[in-house]
Amino acid sequence: MFSRVLVANRGEIAVRVIRALHELGVEAVAIYSTADKDALHVRMADHAVHIGPPSAAESYLRIPSVIAAANTTGCEAVHPGYGFLAENPAFVEACVDNDLVFVGPPADVMAMMGDKISAKQAMRAADVPTVPGTEGATTAEAARAAAEEIGFPVLLKATAGGGGKGMRLVRAAEELDDAFSMAANEADAAFGDSTMYVEKALVPARHVEIQVICDNHGNVLTLGERECSIQRRHQKLIEESPSAALTPEAREAMETAAERACRAVGYRNAGTFEFLLGPDGSFYFIELNARLQVEHPVTEMCTGIDIVREQLLVAAGERLSVTGRAPRRGHSIEIRLNAEDPEHDFRPSPGLVSLFKPAEGPGVRVDTFIESGTVIPPFYDSMIAKLVVWDNDRAAAIARAERALRETTVAGVPTTRDLALEVLASEPFRSGDYSTSTLDALRAVDERRLDGAGVQR
Ligand code: ADP
């Protein structure tokens, strides 16, 4: 095992990784921007290196500064968390060039998966079903022809896309040109790459993903699914495992496909295969996230496997102690608490958290970086905490999630807490019969009700 590891991130995920390092007896080195000088991850780490001003482009995203922080503190490895440089192949190469072990897949595999077009090609070659659509870079004209052929609605997607950016749903031919140029411009601004392709929009569909971990010796472990269909603007809000939509046979088919794909592409370390699941039980690959994911604790709760610890162990060259299908038990739900204002269309609302009292008690886990008195900086992600619960079955887990949410106090900034309570109480969520369109549909009903009642908003 390593003796010292750089944590190339901030916020709750930096705290999460530091915990895993400390449990393994490894020293953690934090990096921080000026805006994070008092942050929890900095205080928890054994050493901390200031790497630049608040803007992420000048700090957490600046490869030479992050590499220098690792080198000058004598680190042997780098854990990237998620976001920032976690899926940047140039960063992986920079680590390797500096004799630093990158805790994640090799640069070439990451590059192949980071480009959604080449990722889909690799999956097709591995006999994993993909969403019908164009098979390479697509012009607006070709997109129109393809849409006529596969039928509306279609989704325009940026090959470099992520976080729902560069994606547009197109319901009819006359909307296509405008949507195409908007999505391409958005992709160019966000990723410096405006390459687009077209997919059939599967609606209604569920977003179900499979967690995998692979070691450097050809062993693969699949850890079951996470159901992530509760989304706002393609951003996940509530995740759970197991998914109410999967039969044991369907689950095994997805895990087998993921395992086959891992072997075909030479995958290493932790990764997540995202699939869309149609109402008829058919599933289609949409992307492979070549990194740790926000919602990984849901899987940890059900399998008892610490995914971050396993990432560090396999990065250090150890063999997986369990392979095949990870045993699992019970039901877990994660709620993302974002500092966003429900009164203003959920715009990010950073600021001073005057009081934070997380839920406690049986079956509750809170991953966060905030405390009473924390100032949430405006420069980064708006997610401030993840509330994760576990119980024997789904009904008990929902009751526990509701109890824990009510126990959670965040004062000073508005949050998505009440929205989550509303979703948990809703009929579609309780029945388990929901899709990626459910949250928007619930909110539309809400808005009509408020308008009808003459309530001012
Ligand atoms: P990103 O990388 O931007 O997160 P993804 O490809 O992972 O984009 O898709 C994000 C979400 O968008 C999915 O969870 C799903 O809700 C929706 N989505 C993606 N592809 C399709 C599709 N072909 N049909 C319907 N919905 C889709």
Side-chain angles (χ1 to χ4, degrees):
M1 183 36 68
F2 314 112
S3 48
R4 194 178 279 182
V5 172
L6 186 91
V7 182
N9 216 299
R10 64 175 300 280
E12 69 87 18
I13 199 62
V15 171
R16 166 74 188 90
V17 174
I18 292 169
R19 287 187 171 132
L21 289 168
H22 284 169
E23 287 173 12
L24 286 167
V26 179
E27 280 189 27
V29 179
I31 55 172
Y32 64 98
S33 72
T34 313
D36 280 334
K37 66 180 189 331
D38 301 319
L40 183 60
H41 77 281
V42 176
R43 282 178 281 133
M44 277 176 72
D46 304 283
H47 310 273
V49 182
H50 178 228
I51 51 158
S55 129
E58 294 174 84
S59 52
Y60 298 106
L61 286 170
R62 180 162 280 178
I63 295 176
S65 311
V66 178
I67 296 288
N71 281 337
T72 53
T73 52
C75 288
E76 300 145 85
V78 176
H79 193 302
Y82 54 71
F84 295 132
L85 297 170
E87 287 177 286
N88 186 326
F91 181 58
V92 182
E93 276 164 10
C95 288
V96 172
D97 290 346
N98 285 274
D99 290 328
L100 294 161
V101 175
F102 178 81
V103 181
D108 57 340
V109 176
M110 181 183 280
M112 193 202 304
M113 292 306 140
D115 178 297
K116 293 189 180 191
I117 291 175
S118 63
K120 277 183 81 173
Q121 281 162 353
M123 290 304 138
R124 273 197 294 273
D127 227 4
V128 176
T130 58
V131 185
T134 55
E135 300 199 355
T138 306
T139 61
E141 220 160 79
R144 201 168 325 115
E148 298 292 353
E149 197 187 316
I150 54 183
F152 289 95
V154 295
L155 209 60
L156 304 177
K157 284 184 155 185
T159 180
K165 288 208 180 76
M167 204 188 312
R168 282 285 182 296
L169 181 69
V170 183
R171 291 196 176 78
E174 59 272 19
E175 296 170 13
L176 200 137
D177 283 348
D178 283 353
F180 192 96
S181 49
M182 277 198 297
N185 285 341
E186 191 174 290
D188 194 32
F191 315 110
D193 180 351
S194 60
T195 311
M196 301 294 298
Y197 67 104
V198 180
E199 260 180 14
K200 177 147 192 67
L202 300 174
V203 269
R206 301 176 73 127
H207 174 124
V208 179
E209 58 189 31
I210 301 288
Q211 174 75 54
V212 301
I213 308 177
C214 308
D215 68 18
N216 301 346
H217 309 277
N219 298 306
V220 180
L221 175 68
T222 69
L223 297 92
E225 80 278 15
R226 292 185 291 260
E227 162 72 67
C228 309
S229 300
I230 298 294
Q231 305 180 348
R232 268 193 74 253
R233 296 198 191 121
H234 305 302
Q235 296 277 22
K236 300 162 187 167
L237 193 72
I238 299 180
E239 299 99 345
E240 63 176 321
S241 186
S243 165
L246 289 189
T247 59
E249 294 73 32
R251 174 175 301 113
E252 178 54 28
M254 289 173 92
E255 296 196 63
T256 306
E259 177 172 358
R260 192 168 59 240
C262 284
R263 296 188 191 286
V265 304
Y267 198 75
R268 295 279 180 280
N269 216 278
T272 298
F273 286 80
E274 297 192 329
F275 294 103
L276 287 178
L277 185 69
D280 60 353
S282 53
F283 63 90
Y284 305 91
F285 170 86
I286 48 173
E287 69 171 330
L288 169 52
N289 283 324
R291 55 170 167 86
L292 184 66
Q293 275 189 299
V294 173
E295 60 272 25
H296 74 275
V298 164
T299 302
E300 296 185 325
M301 299 292 256
C302 290
T303 60
I305 292 172
D306 184 315
I307 294 174
V308 181
R309 183 189 299 164
E310 292 300 318
Q311 282 193 293
L312 291 161
L313 290 171
V314 301
E318 296 204 15
R319 286 171 186 275
L320 285 167
S321 53
V322 192
T323 60
R325 309 281 168 265
R328 45 207 91 138
R329 193 169 76 88
H331 199 98
S332 178
I333 304 177
E334 173 183 278
I335 289 120
R336 301 189 189 197
L337 287 177
N338 299 338
E340 291 173 2
D341 189 351
E343 301 290 315
H344 292 97
D345 199 26
F346 293 94
R347 71 171 176 222
S349 51
L352 170 69
V353 177
S354 52
L355 178 69
F356 177 55
K357 198 191 158 300
E360 289 171 285
V364 175
R365 162 176 171 180
V366 180
D367 281 22
T368 186
F369 64 103
I370 65 163
E371 302 159 296
S372 296
T374 298
V375 176
I376 301 162
F379 311 101
Y380 317 110
D381 197 54
S382 59
M383 193 183 73
I384 53 172
K386 306 185 306 206
L387 171 66
V388 194
V389 300
W390 182 91
D391 212 322
N392 283 311
D393 59 39
R394 187 167 189 270
I398 295 174
R400 184 160 272 175
E402 290 181 316
R403 183 275 289 172
L405 266 176
R406 290 203 182 91
E407 245 182 55
T408 304
T409 305
V410 182
V413 294
T415 72
T416 46
R417 188 192 82 136
D418 291 353
L419 173 64
L421 276 169
E422 202 181 303
V423 173
L424 292 177
S426 70
E427 194 282 323
F429 191 83
R430 295 193 101 80
S431 68
D433 184 11
Y434 61 85
S435 75
T436 54
S437 319
T438 297
L439 183 52
D440 287 339
L442 281 175
R443 296 213 52 81
V445 170
D446 240 29
E447 282 171 19
R448 278 201 300 277
R449 202 171 54 220
L450 290 174
D451 286 343
V455 175
Q456 286 208 322
R457 287 184 294 120

